[in-house]
Amino acid sequence: MKLFLQKVLEEIRMMYTVHLRIVGVLFFIPVIYTLTFGGLFYKNTLTDVPIIVCNLDDGFQSQGLIRDLYDTPEIAIKFVQMSPMDFEQTIIHEKISAIVVIPKDYSKNVLSGKESIIELIVDNKNTVLSGTASRAVQSVVGAHNSTTVINRRMAAGWSSAQAQGAINISSRMLFNPTGGYIDFFLAALIVHGGQIATVFTMGPSFSLEKKYRRRELAENPVTVLTAKLFVYVVFEVTVMAICLAIGIGGFKMVCRGDFSEIILFLLTFITCMMSFALFVGAWVKIPQKAITLPLFYVMPSVLFSGAIWPRTSMDNFSLFLSYIMPIGYSADDLRNLLVKGSAAGLQNHTAMMLLLGILFFALAYLGVKRYVGTDNARVAIARP
């Protein structure tokens, strides 16, 4: 224990002497991720998605519909055109997400009770924008249609209560009632920022450090690795807690979970990723390669976490990748802890991250032993 404390104090001393830049990167990458994406999503919902209205009707009924579209915050009408247009070319050149086409004789059909079809043409290359525009237009048209039906019934002699009687949907949205992007994206991106900072700094740092701490690693490899793991895990978990505090306090991210449970969960995740970084650094000789080699494992991992694209819709290969990446056991669970207060399978996922962490730490130890053993063998050969 005394030796372990000595190594811990040595790691802390090196943090503000030898590894000051490493500490800076470990701090600023997750914080910058939080501030950047929190600022990007600060409105929480999309607004002012650009659309065009092509109004071919010459009656007054279409004016009420256009007025309702103008009053909908999710969309913004760039202009209203009264003549036919080339819809595909218009979408390309005007950089809009949708075109609403009000047909000829729309007012006449509405007043006579005939069917009138409003055409919605969307640019679906950006599904977030097109989905927002589609939902907004459908909501306005549905409300406008209900008003038209009620007015027609009352004109036919129905009472107000009878005219308004209809079958409607009563919906409730739990946990993220606004459908906000802060609560959907930010937790996963904070976790992603933490793993990027950890792997892309600690891996190359340890790859270089093992060369000038060769004797320490030869004498006490487990103690040195454990002390480094302990110090940097505590530091990075503190940084992650700061990021969550920024998200919750600054960007109004929902937090219904117990904060101590969330921190313990993050502690498990960072321990796993820190062990992975030490494993990479222990086996890779050239520090630059300690960045490039794990690049394809870490950078796209957020897409396979289940937090952005659900596991139920993944193909078998993608599903396999999601179960060998630590973020696959953490990103979606962290969001559930924040917005729901609980996460199904949390204990199993925590156990899996611990097992992965133990595996990576064991591989780091073997890498150090191999490095030290190879070096000793070279020295023995060089002796006469």
Side-chain angles (χ1 to χ4, degrees), residues 193-234:
Q195 75 168 0
I196 288 175
T198 299
V199 174
F200 292 164
T201 55
M202 296 305 299
S205 171
F206 189 63
S207 176
L208 181 63
E209 185 179 341
K210 69 187 180 186
K211 297 178 182 179
Y212 65 80
R213 297 184 71 182
R214 184 180 295 114
R215 179 174 296 179
E216 289 181 74
L217 289 170
E219 294 174 353
N220 302 289
V222 175
T223 306
V224 174
L225 286 170
T226 306
K228 180 174 287 292
L229 182 70
F230 174 79
V231 170
Y232 282 96
V233 164
V234 171

Side-chain angles (χ1 to χ4, degrees), residues 359-379:
L359 173 63
F360 291 141
F361 188 85
L363 290 172
Y365 169 76
L366 292 175
V368 168
K369 293 292 288 183
R370 178 179 178 274
Y371 174 77
V372 173
T374 302
D375 186 67
N376 289 339
R378 288 175 181 171
V379 171

